[in-house]
């Protein structure tokens, strides 16, 4: 594990005005733990929290996580605390709230620093994956790619399939950003091969549609988007954030395949759900999904332009 992760993260983040979490210097005494130690943080409801976020209750879940993380023990290993912190970072990045993600990532780095050599490969891999996601949000794809490669090197892929899948997905995202769709397609397929969780597979599918389109495979993208739509309804439900994401993916894929009418229909349905979810959010300062907001804006622009160009030809 790299030494002094919190400091490394601060230097890499590139976020103006963000304050760093304090951390002990190299001469500070070792942390003395209670022999019995505090009770580990409970995370039995983690799947429920993820489900609620996929439904569109991102603000609600983030608000629930804040007091639980504040009450979690600071010292010593605590897989539950770290899992909640990882979810907090993921949701902050979903909303492009980079300062909040950085703050939690620094705390995770502090905890890893305290563990030192006793930190597990899985704990180190989780940090690298989340750090890579932050760098990717800043479009620093080459640096982010290195973080996911570090994550893959830190774990046994057979024993940690969830983390391996997350790292492969991150790697695919960065390869797409670097203009390497063929490599990205291989990576996202590896993610889908090892992920077992239905929501993780759904996120893989959303990325896979973008990669297939970049690779010049619109028909495959339409097929993948169709499965994505079915999975969104079956796994999360209708009129949810996942449903809107699947509709937007279907709009992108059908537009690329040349079916403008279908693309507009899917886009209209996605925007309706998106508008309802945005109106119901508890914090109006941030979008529920920065990625979906950008995708819908881009689709609106290209479909309007295509419709305007098609109108004179129809006369």
């Amino acid at each position: 594990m790299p030494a002094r992760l919190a400091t490394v993260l601060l230097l890499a983040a590139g976020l103006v005005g963000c304050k760093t979490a304090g951390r002990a210097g190299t001469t500070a005494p070792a942390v003395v733990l209670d022999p019995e130690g505090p009770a580990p943080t409970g995370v039995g409801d983690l799947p429920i929290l993820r489900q609620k976020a996929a439904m569109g209750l991102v603000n609600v879940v983030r608000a629930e996580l804040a007091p639980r993380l504040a009450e979690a023990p600071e010292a010593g290993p605590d897989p539950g605390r770290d899992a909640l912190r990882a979810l907090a970072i993921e949701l902050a990045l979903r909303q492009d709230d980079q300062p909040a993600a950085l703050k939690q990532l620094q705390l995770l780095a502090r905890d890893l620093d305290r563990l030192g050599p006793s930190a597990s490969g899985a704990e180190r891999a989780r940090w690298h994956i989340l750090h890579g996601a932050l760098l990717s949000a800043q479009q620093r794809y080459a640096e982010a790619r290195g973080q996911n490669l570090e994550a893959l090197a830190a774990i046994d892929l057979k024993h940690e399939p969830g983390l391996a899948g997350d790292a492969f997905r991150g790697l695919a995202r960065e390869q797409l950003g670097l203009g390497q769709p063929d490599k990205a397609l291989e990576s996202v397929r590896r993610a889908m091969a090892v992920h077992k969780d239905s929501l993780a597979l759904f996120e893989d599918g959303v990325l896979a549609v973008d990669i297939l389109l970049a690779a010049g495979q619109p028909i495959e993208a339409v097929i993948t988007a169709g499965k994505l739509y079915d999975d969104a309804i079956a796994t999360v439900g209708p009129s949810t954030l996942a449903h809107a994401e699947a509709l937007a993916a279907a709009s992108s894929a059908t537009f690329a395949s040349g079916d403008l009418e279908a693309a507009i229909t899917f886009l209209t349905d996605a925007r309706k759900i998106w508008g309802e979810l945005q109106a119901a959010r508890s914090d109006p300062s941030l979008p529920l999904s920065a990625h979906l907001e950008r995708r819908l804006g881009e689709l609106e622009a290209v479909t309007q332009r295509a419709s305007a160009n098609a109108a004179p030809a129809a006369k």
Side-chain angles (χ1 to χ4, degrees):
M1 177 183 67
R4 301 181 298 280
L5 288 178
T7 303
V8 171
L9 178 59
L10 172 62
L11 294 174
L15 295 177
V16 177
C18 289
K19 296 182 179 180
T20 64
R23 56 184 302 278
T26 55
T27 59
V31 176
V32 178
L33 303 179
D34 183 334
E36 296 184 359
T41 302
V43 288
D45 62 340
L46 189 59
I48 297 174
L49 294 174
R50 290 188 176 279
Q51 185 82 4
K52 288 169 66 175
M55 292 171 62
L57 300 174
V58 180
N59 296 127
V60 173
V61 175
R62 290 186 66 187
E64 290 179 17
L65 288 173
R68 292 174 66 174
L69 286 171
E71 294 168 3
E74 292 188 3
D78 186 342
R81 173 200 63 206
D82 295 344
L84 292 180
R85 201 178 302 287
L87 179 58
I89 295 167
E90 292 169 16
L91 296 183
L93 290 175
R94 181 178 297 185
Q95 296 191 283
D96 201 26
D97 188 356
Q98 293 184 30
L102 174 61
K103 178 181 178 181
Q104 293 298 329
L105 201 52
Q106 287 171 333
L107 293 173
L108 189 59
R110 176 205 64 187
D111 295 338
L112 279 176
D113 276 351
R114 287 175 171 175
L115 290 175
S118 66
S120 69
E123 289 167 325
R124 298 196 305 272
R126 180 185 289 112
W127 187 87
H128 285 300
I129 291 167
L130 294 169
H131 188 192
L134 175 59
L135 290 169
S136 186
Q138 299 171 348
Q139 300 184 0
R140 297 163 66 178
Y141 299 118
E143 296 167 79
R145 177 181 57 187
Q147 290 298 314
N148 282 292
L149 290 173
E150 290 270 10
L152 289 169
I155 56 175
D156 184 322
L157 305 189
K158 293 182 179 179
H159 293 159
E160 298 288 348
L163 285 174
D166 292 347
F168 279 125
R169 185 204 299 140
L171 187 59
R173 179 184 59 231
E174 281 106 44
Q175 289 165 332
L176 178 62
L178 291 168
Q180 302 170 337
D182 292 338
K183 290 183 178 180
L185 189 55
E186 179 182 351
S187 295
V188 79
R189 283 173 174 164
R190 294 189 72 178
M192 297 172 84
V194 296
H195 267 146
K196 306 301 181 186
D197 178 75
S198 57
L199 290 180
L201 284 166
F202 179 82
E203 292 180 31
D204 295 341
V206 172
L207 178 58
V209 171
D210 288 340
I211 294 171
L212 287 165
L213 292 176
Q217 300 183 38
I219 302 305
E220 288 296 322
V222 170
I223 295 171
T224 301
K227 184 179 185 306
L228 198 64
Y229 180 90
D230 292 341
D231 290 345
I233 298 299
T235 303
V236 186
S239 300
T240 58
L241 184 59
H243 187 192
E245 289 175 328
L247 285 165
S251 180
S252 295
T254 50
F255 179 81
S257 72
D259 192 342
L260 178 59
E261 183 178 354
I264 292 174
T265 299
F266 287 130
L267 175 60
T268 301
D269 292 346
R271 290 190 67 86
K272 180 177 183 297
I273 295 172
W274 173 251
E276 292 170 351
L277 293 173
Q278 286 281 91
R281 62 194 156 152
S282 57
D283 179 2
S285 64
L286 294 169
L288 295 173
S289 168
H291 175 266
L292 180 56
E293 184 176 59
R294 286 193 299 271
R295 187 198 282 270
L296 292 175
E298 292 165 358
L299 282 168
E300 187 77 21
V302 297
T303 53
Q304 285 183 355
R305 186 163 55 248
S307 296
N309 292 337
K315 293 181 180 179

